[in-house]
Amino acid sequence: MGYSQRGPRCDFPLYAANGQRKLDFNKVNHLVFVIDDDPSMRAAIERLAGAVGLSVATYSSGEEFLASSIPDVSGCVVTDVRMPGLSGLELQKEMSAREIIFPIIFITGHGDIAMSVQAMKAGATEFLTKPFRDQDLLDAIREAIAQNDAARSKRAEISRLQEQFDSLTPREKEVMTLVVAGQLNKQIALKLGTVEKTIKVHRSQVMHKMRANSLAELVRMSEKLVRLSHKC
């Protein structure tokens, strides 16, 4: 791995009482978590990522990373595979168990095919063997962050959708189910033992609370909710 001639350029550098730089996580849009027991490797990756405007937080071990206050921000993890204490693969499992959702880029000087296959099967985005080109790591980081952005956006959409659905009354949920199944108001009224006028009111409330502009949009929302329930 090469060294950039430019110094680190993090988004919002602050300084702790001991003089070490720290980041204001509330002001960082993307963050690269670098976990490696080798100080020179941590510094090299921080310098490289900082040179292209990426904010970096470094940790000397997987245990230190897990014990830290991990911000709710988009980013990725760059970690060595072989470290004292938790290995990179063990860290990957622990992150999954704790639902710490960041794409992981593994770096190693001792990796083998079986190890990389195991890591990739468990969801790693890249497995780089030292020495690697600076550009390869930067490309992997950019791809990982893009993946995390997309995943966070999807989770936020699903969360909003679930909130909207939970705001419906039990009767409105019944009406929504029958509406997206293609039944007419009079058919729904007959099925639920009420009058068509009441169903129109419920249907209007469903559209309003779900923030659906059309029946087609409501159907798409319903399909997403069904897929979500099957995953749970």
Side-chain angles (χ1 to χ4, degrees), residues 149-160:
D149 280 343
R152 286 171 62 87
S153 178
K154 185 174 182 179
R155 288 196 299 272
E157 178 191 4
I158 292 299
S159 179
R160 286 194 300 270

Side-chain angles (χ1 to χ4, degrees), residues 10-17 19-25 27:
C10 295
D11 293 339
F12 295 89
L14 298 177
Y15 292 86
Q20 291 184 340
R21 188 180 70 249
K22 67 176 183 177
L23 295 171
D24 183 350
F25 291 139
K27 295 180 179 180

Side-chain angles (χ1 to χ4, degrees), residues 157-226:
E157 178 191 4
I158 292 299
S159 179
R160 286 194 300 270
L161 193 58
Q162 188 64 59
E163 271 185 32
Q164 290 162 197
F165 182 72
D166 290 343
S167 73
L168 301 179
T169 66
R171 178 47 61 94
E172 287 166 353
K173 290 177 181 177
E174 288 182 307
V175 170
M176 177 175 166
T177 299
L178 296 171
V179 166
V180 299
Q183 295 197 25
L184 302 175
N185 289 343
K186 62 175 64 178
Q187 293 173 311
I188 298 173
L190 182 62
K191 192 175 190 88
L192 298 182
T194 186
V195 296
E196 187 175 349
K197 183 177 180 180
T198 299
I199 297 303
K200 287 182 179 178
V201 173
H202 286 316
R203 182 168 180 159
S204 176
Q205 282 296 99
V206 168
M207 298 295 286
H208 173 70
K209 291 182 179 180
M210 293 300 296
R211 300 176 188 174
N213 296 314
S214 66
L215 176 58
E217 187 175 2
L218 187 66
V219 169
R220 287 194 294 271
M221 290 177 173
S222 177
E223 290 173 347
K224 288 180 181 178
L225 286 167
V226 169

Side-chain angles (χ1 to χ4, degrees), residues 12-195:
F12 295 89
L14 298 177
Y15 292 86
N18 60 8
Q20 291 184 340
R21 188 180 70 249
K22 67 176 183 177
L23 295 171
D24 183 350
F25 291 139
N26 294 320
K27 295 180 179 180
V28 172
N29 292 323
H30 297 98
L31 188 58
V32 181
F33 301 90
V34 178
I35 307 168
D36 199 307
D37 62 307
D38 182 349
S40 64
M41 180 57 67
R42 293 198 305 271
I45 297 175
E46 182 175 18
R47 184 160 39 245
L48 174 66
V52 295
L54 291 169
S55 295
V56 180
T58 62
Y59 307 85
S60 61
S61 68
E63 290 89 343
E64 183 185 0
F65 170 73
L66 293 172
S68 68
S69 178
I70 301 172
D72 181 18
V73 63
S74 180
C76 70
V77 168
V78 179
T79 182
D80 197 355
V81 171
R82 298 180 186 271
M83 296 182 290
L86 279 179
S87 69
L89 295 179
E90 289 169 338
L91 173 63
Q92 183 183 34
K93 291 178 182 177
E94 190 62 29
M95 286 175 61
S96 178
R98 299 189 188 192
E99 297 185 344
I100 302 173
I101 307 173
F102 290 110
I104 301 177
I105 299 165
F106 284 107
I107 55 175
T108 183
H110 311 281
D112 55 24
I113 294 176
M115 188 182 293
S116 63
V117 169
Q118 181 182 348
M120 300 301 279
K121 280 186 175 180
T125 59
E126 187 59 88
F127 196 99
L128 299 175
T129 302
K130 304 173 187 176
F132 48 81
R133 295 190 313 126
D134 288 357
Q135 193 59 50
D136 289 340
L137 178 57
L138 288 176
D139 288 346
I141 289 173
R142 290 192 179 101
E143 176 62 26
I145 289 176
Q147 288 181 20
N148 199 226
D149 280 343
R152 286 171 62 87
S153 178
K154 185 174 182 179
R155 288 196 299 272
E157 178 191 4
I158 292 299
S159 179
R160 286 194 300 270
L161 193 58
Q162 188 64 59
E163 271 185 32
Q164 290 162 197
F165 182 72
D166 290 343
S167 73
L168 301 179
T169 66
R171 178 47 61 94
E172 287 166 353
K173 290 177 181 177
E174 288 182 307
V175 170
M176 177 175 166
T177 299
L178 296 171
V179 166
V180 299
Q183 295 197 25
L184 302 175
N185 289 343
K186 62 175 64 178
Q187 293 173 311
I188 298 173
L190 182 62
K191 192 175 190 88
L192 298 182
T194 186
V195 296

